[in-house]
Amino acid sequence: MTEQEAGHAPLPVGEDEFRLIADSAPVAVWVTRLDRQRSFVNRAYVEFFGGSYEDALTFDWRAIIHPDDIARLLQASVDGEASLKTFSLEGRFRRADGAWRWLQSTSQPRWNAAGEHIGFIGVAHDVTEAKEAELALREREAQLSAFISQTTAGFAQVDLDGTFTLVNDRFCEIAGWSREQLLRRTMQSITHPDDLGRNVPMFERAVREGVPYTHEKRYIREDGGIVWVNNSVAVIRRPEGKPFGVLAVTLDVTQRRESENALRRSEESLRLATESAGMASWELDLETMEGKWSANRFDLLGLVRRDDLRGTVEDWLDRIVVEDREMAREAAYRCFEQGEPYTIEYRIRRADTGEERALQSHGSRIDYDDGRPSRFVGVSFDITERQRAEEELRDSEARFRTIFEQANDYLITLTLDQRIASVNPAVVSALGYTEAEVLGRPVSDFMDPDQFAISLGALQQKLIRGGSTRLTIKVRAKDRRELVWEINSRLTTDAEGNPTGIHAIARDMTEAKRAETHLRLLIDELNHRVKNTLAIVQGIAQQSLKGDRDAATSRRAFEGRLAALSEAHNLLTREHWGLVSMTQIISDAVRPHGGSARFTLDGPDLVIMPKTAISLALAIHELATNAVKHGALSEPQGKVTIRWARMRGEGAPRLSLVWEESGGPAVQPPERRGFGTRMIERGLAAELAGSVTIDFRPQGVVCTVDAPLPEGAE
Amino acid sequence: MTVLTGLRVLVVEDEPVVAMYLEDILDELGCITIGPANRLSEGLALAEGPLDAAILDINLAGERSNAIAELLRARGVPFAFASGYGNAPEGFGAPMIEKPYRTADIGRALNTLLGE
């Protein structure tokens, strides 16, 4: 405060009058002289200072200046006084109550009538409230500025016509226009025409009624590109309440919109695809638990199609048979609540026909990245036929499996390159391998090369002509045994008829072949024997019937020999043409001629070969016939003793057999030697490979046989 | 018809009755029977001697008469096989007389052998 000497200065009015006016003023007033002494202060001044009027005139005003302001104020005061012009100061002063108050002062020089400078008159008023308001505003402005210049959200202010009046950098970036361009345009001019129809009424209503709104729309950028924005819009009003503009906080949501669109598009195409594939689809808003069904979903459940095509979870669950319902509900709700996708099979009862059908459903939850409420989508389709077919297939497979496992026949499948794809247990046990040892191996491992060639030939034939082949092949078991298999095989084909493999059924013919071979041998042998026997019969007949004997004698001789031959054959047949008992063959041969009554047999029970047995039987027959006719047995008391023994000398054991007649008439040596004698002396000797002699002694015929013991006679 | 009188014919036959019968047939044809041999060893021995022809039973008590046939072929003696059943051993080109046989069968066979 500049002070001036009172009395030197003319007042515009009388002093008392001035004092009255000054005291009633709400501002502090003071008058100074040239010596800077205050000559007058008003009431307000004294009240601020807080002392007496006299003290108020004399105290040092610099003592109550705020330390932060003192340097500035003193400098401005010196400069102002020196200028001899009106000057202003602003700063904080301590009031009588101790509070710092902002005071704004204006000082103006005083001149006397002569025009000489006589001092200053000053006025100060308290501007603390205004100053604080200004500071607060400045602070808010700084905050707002920081807010507006941040990079996430764009800010745009437009006037009531929509012309941009303020935009931040981020808004320019989002909208794709420079600040200068925007400030010359309206928001309508950069909004996509398709969105204006919705946007303009909301804008107008906001201006008219002050209703804020949030909406999404597209801006067209300078480069022609499209940007999706989410604008939160509020009206700005003047203090008196009149709107003067609209502020929009703008977020770029293009990416979200695009992903949503993509999702929508893919959902749409999925829906079309699934429906054309007989799949029904449904969506569910997980906030409202209600959603849209595809038309065929109603059909699938036998429900009437609703006009709005909407349905609920419960509509669906109601159709599911009781036994499956809780399972389906749990799967669905687990998906809704935990996002766990599901695939379930269940049965429904159609609402219209009551028919039970099997369905399969897949459901999954779609979760948006930005945390918006998720949605559920699901597809269902009828699998009744498929299940039925599967069941039939399973049954049929099981049937075939049983046949496969239990068949005695060998069931084998091969790949086209002749490798074993599967075998049944019969194959494994026949070959002596384990299944693992067989699978994947080429069939050539199980047969000799010549046999494999036959197999390959059959395959070629099937490949060229189709059909099946039947062949007999020798296969090799693990122990190298040869097995004869009769194999029926045919090609397996795919749906187009292309060959995919070979299916073979084989049967073991090893035993059958062996039996057949054996039978063949038996028949050959039988034929041989029959022919031989016929040859013998022919020989006997020829011998019996030749010469000059009468027919009856000849016939009896023939019959006798034939009977002896037949008897020997009986024995041989009984013994299956094996070794026969010597005792037996001799006793059989003598039985027609008196048997044990006339014959004494004495010898060990040796066994002899069948052929030898026939010769022996015929020889005994001849001797006996002769004895009956001419020898010992022609007399009632005549006897024959047959002795045989195994002789052991220095060489191989020998057979000694002696036929000795006794008690008969005196023997005359025959005039000529007939068949009988020849048969015995030559035939039997040859047969036995020994010597046979007949001695016609007068007291009785003696026939002596000396031969190596016939083979098998041990 | 060749005159067979005096021909020396080896008979190899293990069945005595049949051998005797064949012997009688040959006798009737005027031939001289050599043998009959009823074992392989005996037949081989007799095949070494002077012969004009031979009739060989194929099966001799379980042995086959091939060895005798080979010997005879080596000597150039013609021979025929005789058997109740089956075919003549291969490789000899010899005729086959099937049992039971008749006198005429033997005569015809001998004529064939001697290349009438």
Side-chain angles (χ1 to χ4, degrees):
Chain A
M1 255 179 237
T2 304
E3 313 215 353
Q4 286 180 344
E5 199 175 353
H8 289 251
L11 285 171
V13 291
E15 189 146 339
D16 286 344
E17 197 181 3
F18 173 74
R19 187 170 297 276
L20 193 67
I21 295 168
D23 279 348
S24 66
V27 296
V29 178
W30 68 96
V31 177
T32 60
R33 300 184 302 239
L34 273 179
D35 63 358
R36 295 184 176 153
Q37 270 298 306
R38 284 180 291 275
S39 57
F40 171 80
V41 295
N42 73 345
R43 191 188 306 272
Y45 190 107
V46 175
E47 279 171 6
F48 187 90
F49 170 67
S52 67
Y53 181 79
E54 292 308 316
D55 289 343
L57 291 175
T58 58
F59 87 95
D60 184 354
W61 66 280
R62 292 172 298 191
I64 64 167
I65 303 175
H66 193 282
D68 290 351
D69 298 338
I70 192 164
R72 180 176 54 84
L73 287 182
L74 289 179
Q75 183 63 48
S77 171
V78 170
D79 293 348
E81 285 174 15
S83 72
L84 292 179
K85 289 182 178 158
T86 300
F87 65 91
S88 289
L89 297 176
E90 195 178 81
R92 281 161 291 182
F93 296 84
R94 191 171 60 235
R95 201 166 59 184
D97 60 1
W100 292 103
R101 304 295 293 175
W102 280 94
L103 301 179
Q104 190 184 51
S105 68
T106 305
S107 297
Q108 79 183 57
R110 290 169 59 218
W111 312 93
N112 61 15
E116 294 161 343
H117 179 237
I118 57 167
F120 287 87
I121 180 169
V123 178
H125 61 270
D126 193 324
V127 295
T128 306
E129 272 71 34
K131 196 70 189 171
E132 280 174 357
E134 183 198 319
L135 283 175
L137 191 65
R138 206 161 278 168
E139 205 169 292
R140 272 221 310 286
E141 190 188 17
Q143 281 172 351
L144 195 63
S145 158
F147 188 52
I148 284 177
S149 58
Q150 55 81 41
T151 53
T152 305
F155 288 88
Q157 186 183 306
V158 295
D159 63 19
L160 298 181
D161 299 326
T163 305
F164 287 102
T165 53
L166 179 78
V167 290
N168 72 344
D169 292 346
R170 178 63 182 141
F171 184 86
C172 299
E173 204 175 292
I174 293 171
W177 298 88
S178 72
R179 176 173 283 105
E180 293 67 36
Q181 290 170 321
L182 284 172
L183 294 178
R184 288 195 300 272
R185 307 185 73 99
T186 61
M187 72 89 181
Q188 292 91 331
S189 73
I190 66 163
T191 297
H192 194 285
D194 291 352
D195 297 333
L196 272 180
R198 222 157 29 87
N199 192 177
V200 170
M202 286 193 285
F203 181 80
E204 286 173 350
R205 180 158 173 247
V207 169
R208 195 171 61 245
E209 297 170 24
V211 183
Y213 62 91
T214 299
H215 75 139
E216 293 194 355
K217 65 172 184 179
R218 284 160 287 182
Y219 285 137
I220 299 174
R221 299 162 63 98
E222 186 190 10
D223 62 10
I226 300 286
V227 60
W228 272 97
V229 292
N230 178 301
N231 281 356
S232 180
V233 181
V235 173
I236 316 170
R237 294 166 191 282
R238 293 226 162 74
E240 73 272 17
K242 193 167 179 257
F244 71 91
V246 171
L247 180 72
V249 180
T250 302
L251 293 171
D252 182 347
V253 294
T254 307
Q255 208 172 354
R256 194 195 78 202
R257 294 293 295 215
E258 276 172 1
S259 64
E260 272 179 23
N261 273 336
L263 188 64
R264 207 165 288 135
R265 275 197 302 277
S266 60
E267 276 175 13
E268 183 64 15
S269 53
L270 177 68
R271 196 175 59 76
L272 287 173
T274 53
E275 282 182 28
S276 68
M279 291 182 177
S281 61
W282 60 300
E283 299 175 11
L284 189 67
D285 184 329
L286 292 176
E287 219 168 20
T288 62
M289 288 305 277
E290 186 246 14
K292 191 169 181 181
W293 288 14
S294 65
N296 63 350
R297 185 172 171 81
F298 293 95
D299 307 344
L300 194 65
L301 300 177
L303 292 166
V304 176
R305 290 185 187 183
R306 295 188 191 124
D307 290 340
D308 60 2
L309 290 177
R310 301 194 85 82
T312 67
V313 182
E314 293 304 321
D315 289 338
W316 166 61
L317 288 172
D318 279 351
R319 297 312 337 140
I320 301 178
V321 299
V322 176
E323 299 91 315
D324 294 348
R325 193 176 297 155
E326 282 319 299
M327 176 275 296
R329 183 192 299 276
E330 270 175 38
Y333 276 88
R334 203 161 44 242
C335 180
F336 299 160
E337 287 158 12
Q338 293 159 32
E340 191 178 311
Y342 65 81
T343 296
I344 51 173
E345 291 186 4
Y346 54 93
R347 289 159 296 160
I348 58 146
R349 194 165 300 286
R350 286 179 63 95
D352 50 359
T353 60
E355 186 192 355
E356 188 176 295
R357 307 289 294 178
L359 300 191
Q360 191 181 73
S361 290
H362 305 276
S364 55
R365 195 174 80 179
I366 297 174
D367 294 332
Y368 296 112
D369 292 340
D370 57 8
R372 275 173 302 150
S374 44
R375 291 185 323 123
F376 165 89
V377 292
V379 294
S380 308
F381 47 95
D382 195 312
I383 55 166
T384 312
E385 302 309 324
R386 199 194 73 197
Q387 264 189 358
R388 194 168 295 154
E390 270 176 12
E391 238 162 67
E392 278 168 15
L393 189 63
R394 255 198 305 279
D395 286 353
S396 140
E397 203 275 338
R399 264 200 313 278
F400 281 120
R401 177 59 46 184
T402 307
I403 293 169
F404 189 73
E405 297 290 343
Q406 297 179 357
N408 292 320
D409 284 340
Y410 308 131
L411 304 179
I412 304 162
T413 57
L414 302 175
T415 57
L416 278 183
D417 62 352
Q418 301 264 81
R419 280 176 186 280
I420 293 173
S422 73
V423 291
N424 70 342
V427 173
V428 170
S429 64
L431 293 177
Y433 289 100
T434 65
E435 190 175 342
E437 285 175 313
V438 169
L439 294 183
R441 295 249 313 264
V443 285
S444 52
D445 285 5
F446 302 95
M447 52 184 79
D448 294 350
D450 60 326
Q451 300 297 307
F452 181 61
I454 297 172
S455 166
L456 263 186
L459 174 61
Q460 290 301 327
Q461 185 194 319
K462 285 190 289 278
L463 285 173
I464 295 165
R465 273 177 266 160
S468 60
T469 56
R470 181 196 202 100
L471 58 153
T472 302
I473 278 196
K474 293 179 188 122
V475 301
R476 289 268 177 211
K478 190 175 187 177
D479 59 9
R480 304 303 298 156
R481 253 180 322 123
E482 191 177 82
L483 303 173
V484 180
W485 284 12
E486 185 182 87
I487 303 177
N488 279 285
S489 64
R490 61 175 173 77
L491 295 175
T492 51
T493 54
D494 61 18
E496 279 81 48
N498 302 310
T500 53
I502 301 152
H503 182 238
I505 301 177
R507 185 165 291 179
D508 192 326
M509 303 302 284
T510 313
E511 279 309 313
K513 282 282 166 194
R514 199 170 288 154
E516 189 186 313
T517 306
H518 187 59
L519 186 63
R520 173 65 45 202
L521 282 173
L522 279 182
I523 290 169
D524 287 355
E525 179 63 21
L526 181 65
N527 205 353
H528 185 74
R529 282 178 194 165
V530 167
K531 293 287 177 62
N532 262 337
T533 305
L534 285 175
I536 292 168
V537 170
Q538 190 182 36
I540 291 171
Q542 204 267 341
Q543 297 296 328
S544 303
L545 302 176
K546 76 176 181 185
D548 51 3
R549 281 166 297 185
D550 65 84
T553 306
S554 295
R555 199 173 66 239
R556 269 197 304 279
F558 177 62
E559 284 168 356
R561 284 165 180 153
L562 212 52
L565 183 65
S566 174
E567 195 62 44
H569 267 106
N570 284 344
L571 178 60
L572 290 175
T573 305
R574 277 205 304 280
E575 299 299 326
H576 305 290
W577 288 75
L579 295 175
V580 293
S581 156
M582 200 154 154
T583 309
Q584 190 70 49
I585 200 88
I586 293 170
S587 63
D588 283 354
V590 300
R591 190 176 303 116
H593 309 288
S596 55
R598 316 292 305 265
F599 291 87
T600 302
L601 307 188
D602 180 14
D605 196 10
L606 302 176
V607 290
I608 53 175
M609 299 290 286
K611 216 169 136 304
T612 311
I614 289 175
S615 295
L616 183 60
L618 286 176
I620 297 287
H621 173 77
E622 292 302 324
L623 285 169
T625 305
N626 195 60
V628 168
K629 221 188 278 177
H630 311 290
L633 299 182
S634 63
E635 298 284 340
Q637 68 277 21
K639 299 262 187 192
V640 177
T641 303
I642 307 171
R643 286 190 199 87
W644 67 93
R646 181 166 47 200
M647 310 298 287
R648 292 194 178 276
E650 40 288 12
R654 296 187 74 81
L655 171 70
S656 156
L657 185 143
V658 179
W659 166 285
E660 189 174 354
E661 298 179 20
S662 60
V667 173
Q668 299 287 321
E671 289 157 16
R672 100 188 148 81
R673 304 205 150 195
F675 168 73
T677 313
R678 278 170 74 200
M679 174 64 215
I680 295 161
E681 285 185 336
R682 287 180 45 197
L684 184 60
E687 178 62 44
L688 294 173
S691 65
V692 179
T693 55
I694 300 177
D695 193 0
F696 291 92
R697 296 183 198 166
Q699 61 270 45
V701 175
V702 175
C703 175
T704 310
V705 174
D706 175 46
L709 200 62
E711 204 181 324
E714 289 296 326
Chain B
M1 191 85 172
T2 314
V3 176
L4 302 172
T5 307
L7 283 177
R8 295 172 63 82
V9 179
L10 171 62
V11 172
V12 178
E13 169 61 61
D14 66 339
E15 193 62 59
V17 177
V18 178
M20 288 191 311
Y21 174 45
L22 188 52
E23 202 179 340
D24 286 350
I25 290 173
L26 289 172
D27 189 41
E28 206 175 306
L29 292 170
C31 302
I32 300 161
T33 297
I34 306 301
N38 79 330
R39 290 286 185 280
L40 183 62
S41 53
E42 196 186 346
L44 282 170
L46 293 174
E48 302 277 5
L51 296 172
D52 296 307
I55 295 171
L56 309 176
D57 186 14
I58 294 167
N59 195 333
L60 299 174
E63 292 177 299
R64 293 181 77 81
S65 57
N66 289 22
I68 304 171
E70 275 163 24
L71 179 58
L72 292 175
R73 181 168 65 182
R75 290 189 59 203
V77 177
F79 58 90
F81 287 108
S83 176
Y85 177 74
N87 303 311
E90 286 177 13
F92 294 104
M96 176 84 181
I97 306 165
E98 202 170 316
K99 293 180 189 176
Y101 30 68
R102 292 169 295 176
T103 307
D105 296 332
I106 303 297
R108 194 156 46 245
L110 288 173
N111 276 310
T112 305
L113 288 180
L114 297 170
E116 79 179 84

